[in-house]
């Protein structure tokens, strides 16, 4: 419990002291589970009844079609949430799969206890609910950015849109992206080789410069 409380920096607990967090976890009912890379936290169509917080590692939200083609929608890193959108709906069935992309520890909280004040009317519950609403709104914003990227007609336009979003977010023409080439290709719904070729062409055309995941818009 002590290590969990000390390391919790998720926006879900913004404005809640370490002392209150310890009491909160007991009140909410929690468990921590470890997952290896490649393991599934929740399958598509599975009922989601927990809010999940990444304590370490990373988890991908992916969508797979009937032919086994996968599209990565979002990647959640340390302190980020997932599953909350489905847990709060009338239908708890997930429409995506949550796949561990890096060895991870995940904290599970019962959604009903998060969103409903307990019998002792803990003071932190009101703040917790406010934080949850903000997180869901931010997640929707990220998904809108994803739609903006993949709605472009050409791969070059998708790349430039993705890079410009990160440049604006980091307020610099020099910036780092969080995805490797394989994950980035999945995010763009593109072939990895095609992505690599297009990056080389864009560099030759004087549009961008890059070294691994560090980019500069020219």
């Amino acid at each position: 419990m002590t290590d969990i409380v000390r390391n919790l920096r998720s926006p879900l607990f913004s404005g809640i002291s370490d002392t209150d967090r310890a009491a909160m976890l007991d009140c909410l009912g929690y468990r921590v589970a470890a997952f290896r890379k490649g393991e599934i936290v929740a399958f598509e169509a599975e009922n989601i009844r927990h809010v999940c917080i990444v304590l370490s590692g990373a988890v991908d939200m992916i969508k797979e079609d009937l032919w086994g083609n996968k599209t990565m929608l979002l990647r959640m890193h340390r302190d980020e949430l997932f599953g909350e959108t489905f847990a709060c709906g009338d239908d708890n069935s997930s429409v995506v799969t949550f796949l561990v992309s890096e060895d991870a520890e995940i904290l599970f909280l019962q959604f009903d206890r998060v969103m409903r004040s307990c019998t002792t009317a803990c003071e932190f519950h009101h703040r917790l609910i406010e934080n949850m609403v903000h997180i869901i709104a931010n997640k929707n914003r990220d998904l809108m950015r994803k739609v903006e990227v993949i709605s472009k007609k050409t791969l070059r336009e998708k790349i430039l849109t993705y890079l410009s979003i990160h440049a604006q977010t980091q307020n610099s023409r020099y910036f780092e992206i969080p995805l490797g080439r394989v994950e980035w290709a999945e995010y763009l719904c593109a072939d990895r080789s095609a992505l690599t070729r297009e990056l080389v062409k864009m560099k030759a055309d004087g549009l961008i410069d890059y070294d691994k995941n560090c980019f500069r818009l020219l």
Side-chain angles (χ1 to χ4, degrees):
M1 167 73 79
T2 303
D3 289 340
I4 294 174
V5 173
R6 184 183 301 116
N7 294 325
L8 282 177
R9 293 295 178 266
S10 169
L12 180 62
F13 308 122
S14 175
I16 300 174
S17 68
D18 288 352
T19 301
D20 286 338
R21 291 178 192 181
M24 175 191 65
L25 289 175
D26 286 333
C27 177
L28 297 179
Y30 78 95
R31 66 183 177 90
V32 176
F35 294 84
R36 304 290 292 179
K37 180 179 179 180
E39 289 186 321
I40 302 294
V41 180
F43 286 94
E44 184 174 347
E46 183 175 336
N47 285 336
I48 306 293
R49 302 190 183 279
H50 290 83
V51 177
C52 305
I53 302 175
V54 181
L55 299 179
S56 64
V59 176
D60 289 350
M61 179 194 295
I62 64 173
K63 183 69 177 178
E64 189 169 2
D65 64 22
L66 292 174
W67 296 272
N69 300 310
K70 294 187 298 183
T71 300
M72 186 183 70
L73 302 177
L74 288 175
R75 169 164 291 181
M76 282 69 65
H77 295 92
R78 178 176 173 176
D79 295 327
E80 292 188 281
L81 273 70
F82 63 94
E84 74 286 346
T85 301
F86 306 111
C88 71
D90 293 331
D91 182 359
N92 299 124
S93 299
S94 175
V95 298
V96 296
T97 294
F98 293 102
L99 171 71
V100 176
S101 53
E102 299 174 13
D103 291 355
E105 273 193 319
I106 298 173
L107 173 67
F108 294 83
L109 300 173
Q110 296 182 39
F111 184 80
D112 286 344
R113 293 195 181 185
V114 171
M115 298 302 288
R116 293 186 177 92
S117 295
C118 60
T119 55
T120 57
C122 301
E123 293 182 2
F124 59 75
H125 251 116
H126 180 69
R127 184 57 184 266
L128 200 67
I129 293 171
E130 284 186 346
N131 291 343
M132 177 62 73
V133 172
H134 292 157
I135 289 168
I136 292 174
N138 290 336
K139 186 69 67 68
N140 287 337
R141 180 198 60 198
D142 291 339
L143 289 173
M144 288 297 293
R145 286 175 173 170
K146 163 82 172 184
V147 171
E148 179 185 0
V149 171
I150 64 175
S151 64
K152 301 303 181 183
K153 293 182 179 180
T154 68
L155 180 55
R156 176 168 293 198
E157 289 176 324
K158 292 179 181 180
I159 293 171
L160 284 174
T161 303
Y162 178 86
L163 293 177
S164 67
I165 287 173
H166 279 278
Q168 292 169 357
T169 301
Q170 299 177 42
N171 196 30
S172 174
R173 287 181 175 269
Y174 298 85
F175 55 91
E176 186 173 357
I177 65 172
L179 303 178
R181 294 297 186 266
V182 174
E183 295 82 9
W184 193 12
E186 290 179 359
Y187 183 92
L188 297 175
C189 303
D191 179 75
R192 179 189 177 185
S193 298
L195 171 61
T196 301
R197 287 195 301 269
E198 190 60 36
L199 287 173
V200 172
K201 291 178 182 177
M202 292 171 67
K203 188 173 184 178
D205 290 343
L207 294 173
I208 61 173
D209 192 15
Y210 61 89
D211 179 25
K212 296 181 180 179
N213 280 20
C214 295
F215 282 80
R216 178 164 67 102
L217 295 179
L218 302 177

